[in-house]
Amino acid sequence: PVECAMFQCGGCWAVLGDSLHLCAQEERRIGLLVCYRVTNNVVWEDSLMIGLEGALLGCAYNVLSCQSCGSNVGFILYSAPSDLAYLRGLFCFFKDSIICYLLEKQTTIQASKVNFPAVTLEE
């Protein structure tokens, strides 16, 4: 497929997931790529964090980290206000924390600069 990409940790380039498992993008508040499946290089804390400010205010979530270098790469929402509820239980990568290897072009680019075809679970 033309739009295929691997999602890699911005710190150590470990492969975290790919665009075949991309199920949503959230641009308005946080800047996320949302996947329903990730690699074993993604680990999460058992304890829940509570957002006290910013875009995750009032949300309960598990932090996602890169197993190789420990970088914070995203979160899994446990509970959220209604406008973010569609993201609950999914792997949410911060676009600013990951890079994309574009298979067709064989280039690496910041995820925040990549526009994938529209996919959304919000509806």
Side-chain angles (χ1 to χ4, degrees), residues 1-6 19-20 22 101-104 114-117:
V2 174
E3 303 289 335
C4 283
M6 288 188 310
S19 60
L20 295 176
L22 182 67
Y101 177 77
L102 305 175
L103 295 171
E104 184 179 296
V114 178
N115 290 317
F116 290 98

Side-chain angles (χ1 to χ4, degrees), residues 57-69:
L57 176 67
C59 296
Y61 58 93
N62 302 93
V63 174
L64 292 178
S65 302
C66 173
Q67 184 175 17
S68 298
C69 70

Side-chain angles (χ1 to χ4, degrees), residues 1 4 17-18 20 25 62 69-70 84 89 103 105 110 114 119 123:
C4 283
D18 61 53
L20 295 176
Q25 297 178 78
N62 302 93
C69 70
L84 292 177
L103 295 171
K105 296 179 182 175
Q110 284 296 118
V114 178
V119 290
E123 290 84 33

Side-chain angles (χ1 to χ4, degrees), residues 28-78:
R28 296 169 298 200
R29 292 174 62 180
I30 309 171
L32 301 172
L33 291 176
V34 183
C35 296
Y36 63 88
R37 193 173 193 182
V38 295
T39 70
N40 292 335
N41 290 327
V42 179
V43 294
W44 53 92
E45 300 287 328
D46 288 333
S47 59
L48 287 174
M49 303 293 286
I50 304 296
L52 300 176
E53 60 184 26
L56 294 177
L57 176 67
C59 296
Y61 58 93
N62 302 93
V63 174
L64 292 178
S65 302
C66 173
Q67 184 175 17
S68 298
C69 70
S71 294
N72 181 358
V73 293
F75 58 88
I76 301 172
L77 275 181
Y78 181 77

